[in-house]
Amino acid sequence: MSKILIRGAKVLGGEPQDVLIDGETIAAVGTGLSAEGAEVVEADGKVLLPGLVDLHTHLREPGREDSETVLTGTRAAASGGFTAVFAMANTFPVADTAGVVEQVWRLGREYGYCDVQPIGAVTVGLEGRKLAELGAMHDSAAGVTVFSDDGKCVDDAVIMRRALEYVKAFGGVVAQHAQEPRLTEGAQMNEGVVSAELGLGGWPAVAEESIIARDVLLAEHVGSRLHICHVSTAGSVEIIRWAKSRGIQVTAEVCPHHLLLTEEVVRTYNPAYKVNPPLRTERDVRALREALADGTIDIVATDHAPHPHEDKDCEWGAAAMGMVGLETALSVVQETMVETGLLDWAGVADRMSAAPARIGRATGHGRPVAPGEPASLTLVDTAYRGQVDPAGFASRSRNTPYEGRELPGRVTHTWLRGKATLMDGKLT
Ligand SMILES: [Zn+2]
């Protein structure tokens, strides 16, 4: 097997060190390591992190290959420094059987850019009425541990309770898209002053918070694990903080766009900013950043939601909700959390690699950068600053809210178990 010496990398942002990869494994970490027989990558003070793990990706295959495929989505992931992504179940057909999740899992392994861990649907067809084959999906080759109807909320309390009871038996987790459907009928953006001014249907914070409040109580009652997708309001943070203080097994994610953008951008009527849950207020953004820093929110997840241009390049009301995020996530986290002093690189490694791997039970990911560990790594030029150019995306879709915006950081190399998937900014 081949050897690679990464020379002079700031491991988790620390002092420069050399990291020797032998085959699929990290062989040594130290200073002045011998380069004999090894291909040398000069890191030159770039930051080396464990490969990033995204607990919330929409790969769109099967069914919407016009917006993304497992191949294009995993190439986008590798470009963004990810070595594992969890693929959401809202495909066509829905990933609610062992057959569909195995197909997605196999495609990921075949292409080899990034491990793909399918998420299973909670209910048949995401219809919210009947539990899907959770056990069969868990027992399949894909070994599903995370279940979600994401895109839709599991709003029936009895179904939610049953799902939590079912996954408890094998240590699985239910990831809830918290959106009370009746409170958000016709909603187009955050409910508040701006929605009133623009005359757009409002999406109240309480629609998210009421479901989270109910579900943490259900998780406590059942004694099972609950994960909250894309937390977007200050009130949600308070409920999660309270639940954690009671010892309830709840974890939570925040998306990069909710750490950076506010509802003010909706005044442009640019559908690139239309997303579910919606962009909120300055106060919410502040609360989310603080919660990610203090660990109330456990992880950053992209909610990478590719859409073809015909679904986004139209008037606000008709546009699809969602943004691509895999290729800009780390830059947005650097901008909002690292440059602001809220999180150091070790903290980023935890929130974007170790913690999501732990929640999703992705063994072999989110490991320390240390001898004997899998060589799944990402190298980041943190000194770089540049404008986001969607033309350069590996994703099949271009619906980014950051086009033309200057952001810091650029992933130059990604290794998946010792195999380079990204070299000098180019996919292999
Ligand atoms: Zn969602």
Side-chain angles (χ1 to χ4, degrees):
M1 286 299 277
S2 60
K3 286 188 183 180
I4 301 162
L5 182 72
I6 307 168
R7 192 145 57 193
K10 293 179 180 167
V11 178
L12 271 51
E15 288 303 308
Q17 284 186 297
D18 303 338
V19 175
L20 181 67
I21 299 174
D22 189 356
E24 299 189 354
T25 312
I26 298 171
V29 179
T31 47
L33 295 185
S34 161
E36 204 185 313
E39 170 199 346
V40 177
V41 173
E42 295 291 352
D44 243 345
K46 291 176 193 155
V47 170
L48 188 69
L49 301 173
L52 307 181
V53 177
D54 188 19
L55 200 65
H56 192 148
T57 303
H58 296 276
L59 291 179
R60 304 296 192 214
E61 185 174 359
R64 281 311 299 268
E65 290 84 353
D66 57 328
S67 52
E68 197 78 285
T69 64
V70 174
L71 179 60
T72 59
T74 53
R75 283 169 63 88
S79 285
F82 291 86
T83 52
V85 298
F86 285 72
M88 275 298 175
N90 61 338
T91 50
F92 304 94
V94 170
D96 58 3
T97 63
V100 179
V101 294
E102 279 186 357
Q103 181 196 349
V104 172
W105 177 78
R106 280 222 173 80
L107 286 173
R109 298 206 31 130
E110 234 172 84
Y111 299 132
Y113 281 99
C114 172
D115 286 349
V116 175
Q117 187 53 55
I119 292 174
V122 174
T123 67
V124 174
L126 307 177
E127 286 174 352
R129 287 199 283 274
K130 188 167 167 281
L131 274 193
E133 300 167 5
L134 311 187
M137 288 189 273
H138 175 69
D139 294 338
S140 75
V144 177
T145 57
V146 183
F147 296 88
S148 183
D149 274 3
D150 184 62
K152 287 184 178 172
C153 181
V154 180
D155 63 315
D156 184 311
V158 175
I159 296 277
M160 190 62 187
R161 176 185 176 170
R162 295 279 175 258
L164 288 164
E165 285 171 346
Y166 203 107
V167 302
K168 187 184 173 186
F170 52 80
V173 61
V174 179
Q176 175 69 292
H177 170 119
Q179 179 188 356
E180 211 294 317
R182 293 272 290 138
L183 286 171
T184 50
E185 278 173 19
Q188 294 282 330
M189 68 169 295
N190 180 49
E191 180 180 294
V193 179
V194 180
S195 69
E197 275 180 43
L198 299 180
L200 290 173
W203 192 308
V206 69
E208 175 173 310
E209 293 155 5
S210 57
I211 293 290
I212 297 175
R214 182 200 74 178
D215 285 356
V216 296
L217 294 173
L218 283 173
E220 178 177 47
H221 181 69
V222 174
S224 187
R225 283 206 298 146
L226 169 71
H227 178 75
I228 309 294
C229 296
H230 41 52
V231 170
S232 73
T233 78
S236 297
V237 168
E238 281 182 53
I239 295 162
I240 293 162
R241 191 171 281 136
W242 171 84
K244 286 190 165 185
S245 76
R246 276 173 76 92
I248 296 171
Q249 299 177 74
V250 60
T251 54
E253 74 193 30
V254 62
C255 301
H257 44 270
H258 290 125
L259 291 170
L260 182 62
L261 303 171
T262 71
E263 61 176 2
E264 287 298 324
V265 296
V266 178
R267 293 182 189 279
T268 64
Y269 290 103
N270 178 353
Y273 299 122
K274 190 173 175 185
V275 66
N276 175 353
L279 301 172
R280 304 285 189 181
T281 68
E282 192 63 51
R283 180 177 156 265
D284 296 304
V285 168
R286 230 180 3 254
L288 293 168
R289 290 183 184 186
E290 280 163 16
L292 184 64
D294 73 21
T296 302
I297 292 179
D298 304 78
I299 66 169
V300 174
T302 68
D303 194 5
H304 176 79
H307 290 292
H309 70 90
E310 60 270 25
D311 291 355
K312 275 304 233 186
D313 295 348
C314 46
E315 73 272 26
W316 181 274
M321 297 190 197
M323 306 163 165
V324 291
L326 286 168
E327 293 171 83
T328 48
L330 191 57
S331 291
V332 175
V333 170
Q334 183 178 341
E335 174 87 344
T336 58
M337 300 300 294
V338 181
E339 314 262 297
T340 53
L342 287 166
L343 217 55
D344 59 14
W345 286 107
V348 172
D350 176 74
R351 306 304 193 274
M352 296 186 76
S353 181
R358 195 165 54 236
I359 294 166
R361 304 262 150 101
T363 49
H365 289 278
R367 305 290 308 163
V369 181
E373 297 290 352
S376 294
L377 300 164
T378 185
L379 191 61
V380 194
D381 179 3
T382 56
Y384 173 88
R385 267 196 96 86
Q387 285 189 352
V388 176
D389 178 13
F393 283 174
S395 170
R396 182 159 284 183
S397 292
R398 300 280 178 272
N399 53 303
T400 175
Y402 311 119
E403 181 170 4
R405 182 187 281 260
E406 196 183 288
L407 287 174
R410 181 175 52 170
V411 174
T412 61
H413 294 71
T414 308
W415 291 272
L416 175 62
R417 287 181 292 276
K419 178 186 167 265
T421 54
L422 186 77
M423 284 275 278
D424 291 317
K426 290 187 187 68
L427 288 158
T428 57

